[in-house]
């Protein structure tokens, strides 16, 4: 266990990129609670007050939080922001509800943005960068094989047919990061967090895709759910994972899957109904046969994204995160139930 109170670790602020993001706000909260000061980067500085307000609702004092403007697609400001810092946590990356026509709309900010942040960190002799990747950079390493459990040794092959631009963007960004630290002399240490589908309480109405999916389900957008199942995790555990990966010496050079159990899309709707029984007729009422999904996907672009998932059940191993980072992980009931309760409290469902 690292000594989390060592004053020397707290002598400079931690830089967290994409401070307006769902995961980033929880990472910032975790750092502030542990006595670190934080500089959160924003591509839209007008979001600063809203981010502070959201953290305030969590009961986190924000006196040690400041903001700086920086865009993943521009070189400006990154050098000044990371100068003299010990740690950088890079969470910013586009995660849209709908896949763009042009894959580069996601791949460029993900990969080039990661390299921009790493280059600045390298120039500033930052000790360690923690990167937010995803289980999507793990789970498409090989042909689907029932019963296979994916681990950190698996790396998605981004050239496989049928992968979405989002999967490609996360995989290419993570590969670029590992290649960077391997090939640069005196590169920062790198630790990577690979979360599954992240749920947990929403803090405000700036919804990430995780919560937007739930809002759409609760609004009656999907009368039926395609039969897909995927690994899940809770944002509070994802935040703890980032901070532990930043602090623990043995986390350097490793990637960590954060996932606890899986959920069917249909079950997300049922958990919303369990929290909000008045939404019974709006949540998906049955699971769609795969043949119907394939037929509808000819017309509906959103459905095309999930075609490769039909008939699969991918699972991930979380042993490394539990052993090396000391995490105790919340399961799908708590992750999805707390998300539904928060969306209801915010009057968004
Ligand atoms: P959000 O959409 O809530 O946050 C994304 C953040 O990235 C926002 O702060 C956004 O800024 C920022 N961003 C996007 N494009 C740019 C850009 N060009 N320049 C600067 N900042 C940019 O998503 P999450 O918090 O859910 O996701 C955060 C990270 O976690 C992403 O890397 C995502 O891929 C990863 N992840 C998420 C999972 C999930 O289920 N939520 C699962 C696994 C991984 P702005 O507010 O201005 O749009």
């Amino acid at each position: 266990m690292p000594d989390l109170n060592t004053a020397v670790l707290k002598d400079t602020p931690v830089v967290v990129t994409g401070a307006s993001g769902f995961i980033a706000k929880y990472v910032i909260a975790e750092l502030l609670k542990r006595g670190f000061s934080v500089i959160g980067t924003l591509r839209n500085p007008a979001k600063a007050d809203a981010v502070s307000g959201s953290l305030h609702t969590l009961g986190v004092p924000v006196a040690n939080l400041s903001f700086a403007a920086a865009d993943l697609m521009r070189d400006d400001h990154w050098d000044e922001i990371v100068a003299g810092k010990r740690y950088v946590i890079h969470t910013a990356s586009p995660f849209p509800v709908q896949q763009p026509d042009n894959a580069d709309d996601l791949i460029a900010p993900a990969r080039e943005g990661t390299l921009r942040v790493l280059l600045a960190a390298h120039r500033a002799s930052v000790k360690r960068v923690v990167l937010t990747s995803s289980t999507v950079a793990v789970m498409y390493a090989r042909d689907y094989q029932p019963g296979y459990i994916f681990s950190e040794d698996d790396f998605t092959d981004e050239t496989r047919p049928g992968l979405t631009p989002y999967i490609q963007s996360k995989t290419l960004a993570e590969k670029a990061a590992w290649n960077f630290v391997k090939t640069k002399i005196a590169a920062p240490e790198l630790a990577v967090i690979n979360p599954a589908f992240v749920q947990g309480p929403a803090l405000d109405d700036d919804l990430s895709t995780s919560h937007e999916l739930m809002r759409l389900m609760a609004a009656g957008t999907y009368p039926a759910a395609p039969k897909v199942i995927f690994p899940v995790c809770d944002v509070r555990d994802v935040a703890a994972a980032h901070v532990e990966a930043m602090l623990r010496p043995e986390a350097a050079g490793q990637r960590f899957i954060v996932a606890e159990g899986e959920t069917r899309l249909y079950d997300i709707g049922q958990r919303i109904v369990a929290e909000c029984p008045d939404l019974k007729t709006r949540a998906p009422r049955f699971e769609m046969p795969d043949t119907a999904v394939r037929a509808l996907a000819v017309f509906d672009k959103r459905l095309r994204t999930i075609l490769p998932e039909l008939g699969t059940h991918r699972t991930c191993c979380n042993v490394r995160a539990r052993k090396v980072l000391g995490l105790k992980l919340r399961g799908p009931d708590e992750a999805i139930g707390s998300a539904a309760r928060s969306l209801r409290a915010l009057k968004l469902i």
Side-chain angles (χ1 to χ4, degrees), residues 150-291:
F150 288 90
S151 76
E152 287 85 353
D153 295 335
D154 292 300
F155 227 121
T156 290
D157 171 4
E158 72 282 358
T159 64
R160 293 177 72 80
L163 296 187
T164 62
Y166 176 70
I167 297 175
Q168 293 172 325
S169 77
K170 295 306 289 180
T171 306
L172 288 166
E174 192 189 331
K175 283 187 176 172
W178 286 119
N179 188 50
F180 183 95
V181 297
K182 205 171 93 191
T183 52
K184 291 275 187 240
I185 294 166
E189 295 170 351
L190 179 66
V192 172
I193 304 300
N194 299 83
F197 184 57
V198 183
Q199 282 296 341
L203 296 177
D204 49 47
D205 63 5
D206 191 2
L207 296 186
S208 85
T209 290
S210 292
H211 290 129
E212 182 60 12
L213 173 74
M214 292 186 78
R215 195 189 65 75
L216 291 170
M217 276 185 150
T221 313
Y222 310 112
K227 271 193 222 167
V228 288
I229 183 162
F230 41 83
V232 194
C233 61
D234 189 292
V235 69
R236 294 162 285 190
D237 300 328
V238 175
H242 281 80
V243 178
E244 294 299 338
M246 178 183 99
L247 292 172
R248 294 188 183 230
E250 61 276 30
Q254 301 211 56
R255 49 204 308 245
F256 298 93
I257 289 171
V258 179
E260 178 63 57
E262 297 95 40
T263 189
R264 307 179 85 84
L265 210 46
Y266 175 77
D267 289 338
I268 295 182
Q270 291 308 298
R271 283 194 176 99
I272 294 173
V273 172
E275 298 295 336
C276 313
D278 55 302
L279 297 176
K280 189 164 188 247
T281 55
R282 301 204 162 200
R285 288 186 289 285
F286 57 93
E287 283 193 309
M288 238 189 283
D290 293 351
T291 44

Side-chain angles (χ1 to χ4, degrees), residues 17-25 41-45 47 51 70-74 78 90-96 105-106 108-110 113-114 131-136 166 169-170 193-199 206-211 231 233 235 238 242 258:
T17 70
S20 52
F22 171 45
I23 293 174
K25 280 179 271 199
T41 75
L42 293 167
R43 66 170 157 173
N44 177 4
K47 289 192 173 184
V51 173
D71 192 306
L72 294 174
M73 294 302 283
R74 300 175 63 94
W78 290 110
H90 178 45
T91 76
S93 202
F95 180 34
D105 291 351
L106 300 189
T114 298
L131 169 70
T132 317
S133 183
S134 169
T135 47
V136 301
Y166 176 70
S169 77
K170 295 306 289 180
I193 304 300
N194 299 83
F197 184 57
V198 183
Q199 282 296 341
D206 191 2
L207 296 186
S208 85
T209 290
S210 292
H211 290 129
C233 61
V235 69
V238 175
H242 281 80
V258 179

Side-chain angles (χ1 to χ4, degrees), residues 314-337:
R314 294 177 213 271
T315 51
C316 288
C317 172
N318 63 17
V319 168
R320 187 182 291 176
R322 288 194 282 112
K323 283 208 168 142
V324 180
L325 302 181
L327 298 181
K328 289 195 180 70
L329 297 164
R330 294 166 178 85
D333 279 336
E334 171 56 19
I336 301 166

